[in-house]
Amino acid sequence: MRKFALSKQTMNIARTQSSLISGSFLILLAILVFMLFGFGVEGEATFRLSRPSDPYALPNLVLPAESFIGIASLTIAFFGARLIVKAPKEYSVIFAISFFLAIATFLVWATAGKSFSLTGMLQATVVRAVPIALAAMAGIMCERVAVINIGIEGMMLAGAFAGAFFGSIFGSVLGLLIAIAVGGIFGLMLALLVVTFRVDQIIAGVAINILVLGLTSFFTSHLLKKNPHLNDTAVFKSIQIPILADLPIIGPMLFRHNIFVYLAILIVFSTTFYLFKTAYGLRARAVGEHPKAAETLGISVIKTRFINVIIGGMIAGFGGAWFTLGSVGRFDEGMTGGRGFIGLAAMIFGRWHPVGALLAALVFGFADSLQQKLAILRTPIPSEFLAMAPYIVTIIVVAGIVGSARPPQAIGKAYIKEN
């Protein structure tokens, strides 16, 4: 009983200290937000909620910039003081609201005296989140069976190249299928390296990234640049869902996209169903947590890892095809821009759950779309800093969550089958 009491007292002290640090951080954030955006701001921030072509128009959202920034700063400071005084057990919601208010304050400051399409930015957020969400799904499929896939970036780059090259020759549909197959081939390569030959998983993933970067750079300079017609594929057109596409805000945001957005959402929920509602998903999670125990129950650890890693590679190849077949219609060197690594951050932020990873991908997609929209508003922030936005968010998120997120227990460990 005494040990239990001491343990409980230690936990309370740790919780109080954590709450004190978090509350102080929010108060500092409130002061910083007010000092950066509250002084000298004038006028009203106008956010357009509809477009001229929308059948159901909503009135603009008009916010007085100075008052909104002041109220938002005070609210964040209040949340910080509450954390210090009460030290609640769970305060992730408070943190989420505080960061939302900080971002809203920044948007109001940037839009003061101007007009800004909020619907357009939300639509761009969903589009930009697609490759990140797909990279996260690829990572979840692999890491749920205890295989670290650092090579997602390379698999996506290979898928992007295959989509552009074969799409230019055979058409977009066949180009997409080949891109998925190419991703699966690199997934098979990773599985052979780390499952069969038990190569260090980090080294194997880095090797795939370097290999694909070298191959795509070589073929781009020696093949695509000399034959431009091999790097000119048709892009999948947007498909508007009847009735739903006409809804205000939600319609443009969710129901006016090409097949990549719809299939990405389908993959997220299919992955969730597979992992948590099927016997095969239960076996996969068992392999990731305790492979030896899974083997004693008749589950083939090697086969399960191979299947999941190959599927993860196929998803990564599909995500890479988004850059060429779903966006610009051509391949450029290194065009994935680190989205595979950001997808891994989204996976960690989502705690290896597909839906959580999707929500995290939307956060990163918002940061990505934000830097583009702010460039249109001509804010005094240098464009180089705006381009850094998604990567800065990645660093902040990983630094804040990586210590408390628990990966599958056997992750990164090679499995040797006992005879």
Side-chain angles (χ1 to χ4, degrees), residues 287-298:
V287 167
E289 294 293 339
H290 206 304
K292 289 186 178 181
E295 192 77 49
T296 59
L297 295 174

Side-chain angles (χ1 to χ4, degrees), residues 81-101:
R82 185 175 183 274
L83 288 183
I84 294 174
V85 174
K86 290 197 69 174
K89 292 182 180 180
E90 180 63 36
Y91 43 83
S92 57
V93 175
I94 292 177
F95 253 83
I97 296 174
S98 298
F99 277 105
F100 172 79
L101 288 174

Side-chain angles (χ1 to χ4, degrees), residues 50-83:
S50 300
R51 299 175 179 180
S53 59
D54 291 345
Y56 306 105
L58 293 177
N60 295 334
L61 177 64
V62 181
L63 299 173
E66 186 177 8
S67 301
F68 181 87
I69 293 172
I71 293 171
S73 301
L74 288 173
T75 304
I76 296 172
F78 169 77
F79 284 150
R82 185 175 183 274
L83 288 183

Side-chain angles (χ1 to χ4, degrees), residues 29-250:
L29 177 65
I31 295 172
L32 189 63
V33 164
F34 185 76
M35 291 183 65
L36 288 176
F37 309 127
F39 289 107
V41 64
E42 296 178 355
E44 297 178 331
T46 303
F47 295 95
R48 299 193 304 274
L49 302 180
S50 300
R51 299 175 179 180
S53 59
D54 291 345
Y56 306 105
L58 293 177
N60 295 334
L61 177 64
V62 181
L63 299 173
E66 186 177 8
S67 301
F68 181 87
I69 293 172
I71 293 171
S73 301
L74 288 173
T75 304
I76 296 172
F78 169 77
F79 284 150
R82 185 175 183 274
L83 288 183
I84 294 174
V85 174
K86 290 197 69 174
K89 292 182 180 180
E90 180 63 36
Y91 43 83
S92 57
V93 175
I94 292 177
F95 253 83
I97 296 174
S98 298
F99 277 105
F100 172 79
L101 288 174
I103 294 171
T105 299
F106 175 68
L107 280 176
V108 168
W109 169 80
T111 316
K114 303 171 187 175
S115 180
F116 179 77
S117 176
L118 186 61
T119 301
M121 190 184 70
L122 293 176
Q123 185 179 24
T125 295
V126 173
V127 173
R128 294 285 173 179
V130 167
I132 299 173
L134 290 171
M137 294 307 108
I140 289 172
M141 288 296 296
C142 296
E143 297 204 4
R144 277 292 182 173
V145 293
V147 175
I148 300 174
N149 190 354
I150 298 296
I152 292 175
E153 178 75 8
M155 295 175 186
M156 292 181 72
L157 193 61
F161 179 87
F165 179 71
F166 291 104
S168 301
I169 299 174
F170 302 113
S172 301
V173 175
L174 194 54
L176 176 60
L177 295 176
I178 295 175
I180 295 172
V182 167
I185 291 171
F186 279 101
L188 175 62
M189 181 186 298
L190 178 65
L192 285 171
L193 289 173
V194 303
V195 179
T196 302
F197 300 109
R198 295 190 288 276
V199 176
D200 183 273
Q201 296 180 5
I202 302 296
I203 294 175
V206 171
I208 288 177
N209 287 336
I210 296 173
L211 173 64
V212 174
L213 182 61
L215 287 175
T216 53
S217 297
F218 175 80
F219 285 119
T220 299
S221 59
H222 288 79
L223 181 63
L224 299 187
K225 287 185 179 179
K226 295 179 181 179
N227 303 277
H229 63 283
L230 296 178
N231 193 18
D232 185 20
T233 180
V235 178
F236 283 97
K237 296 181 180 180
S238 297
I239 302 172
Q240 295 193 15
I241 307 299
I243 301 176
L244 296 177
D246 295 333
L247 295 174
I249 302 179
I250 298 177

